[in-house]
Amino acid sequence: MPLDDPDQTVFTTRRVTELGYPVLVVSHDADDGAWQFLCGTTNDPRDGVTASLASILRDDRDLEALADLPRGWIAWREDDSSEWMREPHPGGN
């Protein structure tokens, strides 16, 4: 993720942006390079929102550790104090 582009749009959920849920799943999409910062508690499309990269990083600086996550990979953690695990996205996204 280009940390020098704080205005980059990323995908997240209302639970992350409005309710303060921690980001527990990060996906770097293979097809278009889009980033998804998810709480892992909802798959309801109505909960989906966009935000700036800067706003996501402001709330959780630990996400910077994923700056080198390759396209088509996913990272996850058990809670906001756990280490990140990484692997190719099982769905090929």
Side-chain angles (χ1 to χ4, degrees), residues 16-53:
V16 169
T17 60
E18 297 173 13
L19 300 176
Y21 280 45
V23 173
L24 301 179
V25 179
V26 176
S27 174
H28 192 185
D29 296 348
D31 56 351
D32 60 4
W35 288 90
Q36 299 181 42
F37 294 88
L38 309 171
C39 58
T41 64
T42 180
N43 288 325
D44 188 337
R46 294 174 293 185
D47 289 327
V49 296
T50 58
S52 71
L53 176 60

Side-chain angles (χ1 to χ4, degrees), residues 39-86:
C39 58
T41 64
T42 180
N43 288 325
D44 188 337
R46 294 174 293 185
D47 289 327
V49 296
T50 58
S52 71
L53 176 60
S55 67
I56 296 293
L57 292 177
R58 181 177 53 244
D59 293 336
D60 187 347
R61 300 305 294 189
D62 289 341
L63 294 170
E64 290 180 10
L66 301 175
D68 62 348
L69 189 70
R71 280 186 178 205
W73 280 58
I74 190 168
W76 71 96
R77 57 187 176 175
E78 293 297 316
D79 56 46
D80 58 356
S81 64
S82 298
E83 294 292 319
W84 288 103
M85 307 294 284
R86 302 169 181 224

